Amino acid sequence: MTSPRDRLPIGELAARSGLATSALRYYEELGLIQAERTSGSRRRFPRATLRRVAFIRAARTVGLSLEEARTALAALPQDRAPNAAEWNSVARAWTGRIDEQIAELQQLRRRLTGCIGCGCLSLRKCALYNPGDIASAKGAGARYLLGDSSPEQPTGTPSPSKTGKSRKNERSGRTGDGP
């Protein structure tokens, strides 16, 4: 068993990690981090939790979901820093995801450039991309930016594909435009 000074109260973990205590409780609820309870039922986190929280924040920064972070954390030790072999395994998996994220962002940039290229800034009124607001029949939100194809794609513009937001929604289990 580790000494009490190797355990951090939730307030100290929040101050050191830069996250709110509510976020830490949520991460604990999801099983991303674990705390021991004192006899007074107060949370005490192993010092190694600082690394796990930093890992989760890094995962979120590069666009991974909390579920993807949980999967990666499952391959890493909870009570100590990962060794080089353990970290390399996770890093290899992240490289592919980061490459996917970069491709999705590049596709989004191409779509945005094509969308605002005419200057109207409105898909509702746009005679080139959405004549008569036909996209509204496909559902709520910016349908072409979400990956739906335009019936009459103007010559020389990139054709939307399913690699953008809609693919991200498939990974996260979300549908539509909600958060």
Side-chain angles (χ1 to χ4, degrees), residues 6 12 24 52 78 86 89 110 115 118 125 147 154 160 162 173:
D6 288 332
E12 186 176 344
L24 295 171
R52 293 179 74 81
Q78 288 213 14
E86 292 164 335
S89 172
R110 284 190 296 271
C115 170
C118 69
K125 297 178 185 174
K162 291 277 183 188

Side-chain angles (χ1 to χ4, degrees), residues 67-125:
E67 184 57 39
E68 289 169 311
R70 181 193 349 246
T71 300
L73 283 168
L76 298 175
Q78 288 213 14
D79 58 344
R80 63 174 174 77
N83 63 35
E86 292 164 335
W87 177 250
N88 285 335
S89 172
V90 171
R92 277 191 304 276
W94 277 24
T95 300
R97 259 307 272 120
I98 292 169
D99 289 343
E100 285 179 21
Q101 190 75 9
I102 289 169
E104 290 172 4
L105 290 170
Q106 289 172 335
Q107 180 66 22
L108 178 60
R109 181 177 54 201
R110 284 190 296 271
R111 289 184 194 152
L112 288 173
T113 301
C115 170
I116 63 173
C118 69
C120 77
L121 301 176
S122 170
L123 287 179
R124 176 172 286 279
K125 297 178 185 174

Side-chain angles (χ1 to χ4, degrees), residues 128-158:
L128 294 175
Y129 285 102
N130 192 19
D133 194 23
I134 57 174
S136 65
K138 296 182 181 228
R143 300 312 314 166
Y144 303 145
L145 291 177
L146 292 172
D148 291 347
S149 61
S150 170
E152 295 180 25
Q153 194 70 24
T155 307
T157 59

